[in-house]
Amino acid sequence: MALPWRLLLPLALSGALGRRGAAQGCIPPPAAYNAALGRPASQSSVFPNCSIAANAVDGNRDGAWPHGSCARTLEEPEPWWAVDLGARHAVAAVLVQNRRDCCWEQLQGAQVHVGDAGGERASSNPLCGTIADAGPGSLSAVCCHGLRGRYVSVLLPGRTAALALCEVEVLLQGCAPPPGAPNAARGRPAAQSSTLDGRSLAANAVDGDGDGDWERGSCSRTEQQPEPWWRVDLGRRRAVHAVTLANRRDCCWQSLVGAQVHVGDSPADGGKRNPLCGAVLDVGPGSASTVCCRGLPGRYVSVVIPGRVDALALCEVEVTARSCVPPPGGKDTGAGDAAFPATPRGNGSGEVPNSPLRGSGVTLGIAARGPAAPNLALRRPAAQSSTAPRAGAAANAVDGHRDGAWRQGSCSQTAREPEPWWTVDLGRRRAVAAVVVRNRLDCCWHRLKGARVHVGDSLAAHGTGNPVCGTITDTGPGSTSTVCCRGLRGRYVSIAVPGREERLSLCEVEVLEEGCAPLPGAPNAALGRPAAQSSVLDATSGAGNAVDGSRDGAWARGSCAHTLEEPEPWWRVDLGARRAVYAVLVQNRRDCCWEQLKGAEVRVGDSPDARGRRHGVCGIITDAGPGSLSAVCCHGLRGRYVSVLLPGRTAALALCEVEVLLQGCAPLPGAPNVARDQWATQSSTAASSGAAAKAVDGNRDGVWQRGSCSHTRRERQPWWAVDLGARHAVWAVLVQNRRDCCWERLRGARVHVGDAAGERASSNPVCGVITDAGPGSLSTVCCEGLQGRYVSVSIPGREEQLALCEVEVYGTSSGW
């Protein structure tokens, strides 16, 4: 949990500590934050019944040990606990929450250490201080005065006892992004007051490369001028938490001293008139200065050197605005979800006989969150340390099915063993934005607490030697935990329970990639379409070469478009109609001059204006290398024209292929399923377990006996219909078939959309016909915006049984 330390801690500490007469005179500085939250933790031993080390960094200060949020060791000589902050930090203070139910006196005399030695060696690190104010539920503040280290440990020296910690918070000076906050500036359009030369573009400061050597071409730089400025457009209004500026390290770093950071909605005058976050004071060679904005809202972030003539050089600017979010179909439940009823803990095997809970019952308003990245783990090869009997295979965790009831057969589970693990092979090295882990709903959800998520390229130690993204601390019935990896790269994603004997059960693991990737089957809307450009180098360099279907990056072979060297060259393709653009792929030259594409803007809009200046910006190309293929995410931005522009400089624009990817009729990632949990009816019901509502319960399980498929009796022209509750423009209908038997029955079924209800719904206009009926087939029927309140599926002209294991309807009143 993120707390406003600058407001709460002086009051909390002056009250809580002062009352006990043992205050250490330590008040955390303004904007201090908790660097231990959710980080990997370990301890000398684990007391039975959920007393793991991770409990002390779960963000919960509940001091009652039976409530399951306190770490606790066995009674042993000199017990210890340690947390890995992930990097070396200057620690301002450590806050330790004591037990309040009993045994609080055991914490008296505990030592807090900070340093670079980990695990059991952490007690040899330098000492911050000692806890002297141990009382019932005491909150002790130990001052470390900037002591630096990666590990913070708590030790009971010189005696045999049990160490119990209900929360440990490590406060650092300054501000930092909330856990998982992405860099909102990366790849966004940037501008500056002037540009020194062709390798000093404004875009260099948002290319993701913080190399502080200007000569290497990853720093922006203006000319020497009065009050130079640099500005990035975040694309929409954001609540900006912090801005981090990477300085030059080769020379001239002192020029950044006094630079001001502004955030606001006006791009005028470089953004100088927008509200001020703060100024850069701590410059040095290659320094990374963080300016705290504490939620200041605005679309533009600017850096200005006020009141003097100077040059402004920025080797990277990172803007943190919000946390990473889970993908469609679930939500972050924190420490559980209040929507879930209390569930019995089950028997010794961890199962709950005859559990009434079926699925999560959780829905998510994804439209407000925006599109989500595709799941890289879906149906990829998976393995685990062992497999529990009765359908606990590793592959169950990547089957695309989030059902949290283990008996439904969609959760992996190991045997009870020391340090169980699970891993998935993504097939190649990927940049991982986040890992989403679905917990069990029926029982035993506490087992997942403290599990670590690793990403890397090694299978040594089953992937547990790879870097740690984070720790799962928010376990509750059916919880969905999002662990932010912030672009950590690797082929393997592993989940392991460290330091104890446990069963590891995972009901779904989803791995989300940073950026966007071409969707399977997404059509290229630019192929062969009319194209134009600002000028033509020669007869073999026409604009049409960039939409000829050839990605050959050698200009001499005649498949690249190429302008003259001129101010702000541009290229544009006419898609023929207004389309929702998912992504634009741009193929660069590979024979020479590839660096000229760096900083190019991709725009989408409806005006044939040459440069597309009035069009919306999808993003900018930052990864220009020999033959690079850049994917610029547009996330459904609509327009007839797609243009590529080199802003603010004189250069030649060369494009060897431009591909404009549309979603087609499949739903965009994150589009809401408007049929979910809506009122459904059918012509008849085969049995009590085949009710019409089963086809809109959010569960795609294709085995009818597991109770998530609708089913009619055998009859003439059976039908099923769902009431969307209001009229919608329907773009796609997905129909999940049975996979256990009888799948051929669905062949020839028609999908209708219209305003007639019930049995009359089969008279509504037809979207399409299901032809690909195979075991467990998922058929997508395109409706192209057909309007109606009711969507129905019927089998015309024959006697049949109609079984539907899920029907998903994607559309809105105004389209996507």
Side-chain angles (χ1 to χ4, degrees):
M1 56 190 284
L3 297 177
W5 296 111
R6 65 187 184 278
L7 298 178
L8 299 182
L9 278 172
L11 295 174
L13 295 178
S14 63
L17 300 182
R19 281 193 302 271
R20 297 182 180 96
Q24 302 207 15
C26 177
I27 295 180
Y33 74 102
N34 178 13
L37 186 64
R39 292 300 309 164
S42 57
Q43 58 192 22
S44 51
S45 62
V46 179
F47 188 82
N49 195 14
C50 300
S51 299
I52 60 175
N55 288 353
V57 289
D58 64 357
N60 184 354
R61 285 188 181 174
D62 189 336
W65 174 77
H67 293 170
S69 184
C70 299
R72 184 180 174 190
T73 70
L74 299 169
E75 188 159 320
E76 61 187 338
E78 297 196 328
W80 58 266
W81 176 97
V83 61
D84 179 359
L85 304 182
R88 208 162 186 257
H89 290 288
V91 177
V94 176
L95 272 62
V96 181
Q97 176 69 54
N98 200 356
R99 286 185 65 172
R100 63 180 171 82
D101 51 345
C102 90
C103 320
W104 48 82
E105 69 283 351
Q106 293 189 356
L107 196 58
Q108 190 83 11
Q111 295 178 347
V112 176
H113 299 255
V114 174
D116 295 321
E120 61 185 336
R121 297 185 299 111
S123 58
S124 64
N125 288 327
L127 178 68
C128 285
T130 301
I131 295 174
D133 55 340
S138 59
L139 180 65
S140 302
V142 177
C143 300
C144 297
H145 304 297
L147 191 59
R148 301 185 68 88
R150 175 172 175 167
Y151 300 92
V152 173
S153 63
V154 181
L155 166 74
L156 287 179
R159 70 182 197 265
T160 296
L163 175 62
L165 302 168
C166 294
E167 194 69 11
V168 177
E169 301 168 35
V170 178
L171 307 184
L172 309 184
Q173 179 71 45
C175 63
N183 175 12
R186 180 158 181 188
R188 296 299 310 164
Q192 56 191 8
S193 51
S194 62
T195 302
L196 181 65
D197 56 28
R199 60 185 168 182
S200 303
L201 311 176
N204 291 352
V206 288
D207 64 357
D209 183 357
D211 189 335
D213 190 337
W214 172 76
E215 296 278 352
R216 292 180 182 158
S218 186
C219 301
S220 68
R221 187 180 173 189
T222 70
E223 297 173 344
Q224 195 98 358
Q225 64 182 135
E227 297 196 330
W229 58 263
W230 176 96
R231 185 190 68 225
V232 63
D233 178 357
L234 303 182
R236 61 183 174 86
R237 206 165 192 249
R238 309 290 290 271
V240 176
H241 180 83
V243 179
T244 301
L245 310 179
N247 201 353
R248 288 185 64 173
R249 64 179 172 83
D250 51 348
C251 89
C252 320
W253 49 82
Q254 65 280 0
S255 289
L256 199 57
V257 71
Q260 296 178 346
V261 175
H262 298 256
V263 174
D265 295 319
S266 171
D269 200 18
K272 297 178 185 178
R273 303 174 200 169
N274 289 326
L276 177 69
C277 286
V280 175
L281 303 174
D282 55 342
V283 300
S287 59
S289 303
T290 298
V291 177
C292 303
C293 298
R294 302 181 182 89
L296 190 62
R299 174 173 175 170
Y300 301 95
V301 174
S302 304
V303 182
V304 182
I305 295 181
R308 70 179 192 264
V309 174
D310 210 332
L312 174 61
L314 299 166
C315 294
E316 194 69 14
V317 177
E318 299 180 17
V319 178
T320 52
R322 64 179 178 86
S323 63
C324 65
V325 296
K331 75 176 184 178
D332 257 337
T333 57
D337 197 308
F340 298 124
T343 311
R345 289 192 175 272
N347 53 33
S349 67
E351 312 312 326
V352 179
N354 305 315
S355 171
L357 296 173
R358 304 289 299 274
S360 69
V362 176
T363 57
L364 173 63
I366 287 295
R369 293 183 180 271
N375 175 14
L376 301 178
L378 186 63
R379 299 185 183 91
R380 293 297 310 164
Q384 58 191 9
S385 51
S386 62
T387 301
R390 305 195 309 276
N396 290 354
V398 289
D399 62 359
H401 184 188
R402 282 190 172 184
D403 191 331
W406 183 78
R407 285 188 176 273
Q408 304 297 338
S410 184
C411 300
S412 69
Q413 185 158 301
T414 70
R416 186 175 180 86
E417 60 189 336
E419 300 193 329
W421 56 267
W422 177 96
T423 190
V424 62
D425 179 358
L426 304 181
R428 62 184 175 88
R429 205 164 190 253
R430 311 296 286 263
V432 177
V435 177
V436 181
V437 182
R438 171 73 165 174
N439 200 358
R440 285 186 65 168
L441 167 67
D442 49 352
C443 91
C444 321
W445 47 84
H446 58 275
R447 295 173 177 169
L448 196 56
K449 193 164 191 177
R452 294 178 184 172
V453 177
H454 303 255
V455 174
D457 294 318
S458 172
L459 279 178
H462 314 292
T464 59
N466 289 327
V468 178
C469 286
T471 303
I472 296 172
T473 60
D474 55 341
T475 55
S479 59
T480 301
S481 301
T482 301
V483 177
C484 301
C485 296
R486 306 177 188 89
L488 192 59
R489 301 184 71 87
R491 174 173 176 169
Y492 303 99
V493 174
S494 304
I495 299 174
V497 176
R500 72 183 195 267
E501 190 175 276
E502 191 59 274
R503 285 188 177 94
L504 174 59
S505 187
L506 304 166
C507 293
E508 194 67 12
V509 178
E510 301 170 33
V511 179
L512 309 184
E513 188 169 29
E514 286 222 323
C516 63
L519 299 164
N524 174 13
L527 186 64
R529 296 296 311 165
Q533 58 191 19
S534 52
S535 63
V536 180
L537 180 64
D538 59 26
T540 67
S541 303
N545 290 350
V547 289
D548 64 357
S550 171
R551 286 186 181 174
D552 190 334
W555 170 75
R557 292 181 183 154
S559 185
C560 300
H562 206 303
T563 71
L564 298 168
E565 187 160 317
E566 60 186 336
E568 296 196 329
W570 57 267
W571 176 96
R572 185 189 67 226
V573 62
D574 179 358
L575 303 182
R578 200 165 191 256
R579 311 298 290 269
V581 178
Y582 173 71
V584 177
L585 273 62
V586 180
Q587 176 70 56
N588 199 357
R589 286 186 66 172
R590 63 178 174 81
D591 48 352
C592 92
C593 320
W594 47 82
E595 69 283 350
Q596 294 190 359
L597 195 58
K598 191 167 188 177
E601 295 179 350
V602 176
R603 295 173 174 259
V604 175
D606 293 318
S607 169
D609 167 56
R611 291 183 172 85
R613 285 292 196 190
R614 286 175 278 174
H615 294 167
V617 179
C618 289
I620 61 175
I621 295 172
T622 60
D623 56 343
S628 59
L629 181 65
S630 301
V632 178
C633 305
C634 298
H635 298 305
L637 190 60
R638 299 181 70 89
R640 175 172 175 169
Y641 300 94
V642 174
S643 58
V644 182
L645 165 73
L646 285 178
R649 72 183 197 265
T650 297
L653 175 62
L655 302 168
C656 294
E657 193 70 11
V658 178
E659 301 172 31
V660 178
L661 305 185
L662 308 182
Q663 180 66 21
C665 80
L668 284 169
N673 170 14
V674 296
R676 175 82 184 268
D677 294 326
Q678 294 296 323
W679 182 257
T681 55
Q682 58 190 10
S683 52
S684 63
T685 302
S688 60
S689 61
K694 296 295 177 67
V696 288
D697 63 358
N699 185 350
R700 286 186 182 174
D701 191 332
V703 179
W704 181 77
Q705 290 183 331
R706 292 180 182 156
S708 185
C709 301
S710 68
H711 209 301
T712 71
R713 294 193 294 266
R714 187 173 181 86
E715 59 190 336
R716 180 79 178 169
Q717 299 190 151
W719 59 266
W720 175 96
V722 61
D723 179 357
L724 303 181
R727 214 160 186 259
H728 284 73
V730 177
W731 296 91
V733 177
L734 274 64
V735 181
Q736 176 69 56
N737 200 357
R738 288 183 64 172
R739 67 179 173 88
D740 50 350
C741 89
C742 322
W743 47 82
E744 68 284 350
R745 294 173 179 169
L746 197 57
R747 182 170 280 114
R750 293 178 180 172
V751 176
H752 305 254
V753 174
D755 295 320
E759 60 184 337
R760 295 184 300 110
S762 299
S763 64
N764 287 327
V766 177
C767 287
V769 178
I770 295 173
T771 59
D772 56 343
S777 58
L778 181 65
S779 302
T780 301
V781 178
C782 303
C783 296
E784 298 176 352
L786 194 58
Q787 298 270 339
R789 174 171 176 170
Y790 300 92
V791 173
S792 65
V793 181
S794 66
I795 297 179
R798 71 181 196 265
E799 190 175 275
E800 191 60 271
Q801 290 177 295
L802 174 61
L804 302 168
C805 294
E806 193 69 12
V807 177
E808 300 172 23
V809 179
Y810 294 91
T812 66
S813 57
S814 59
W816 290 327

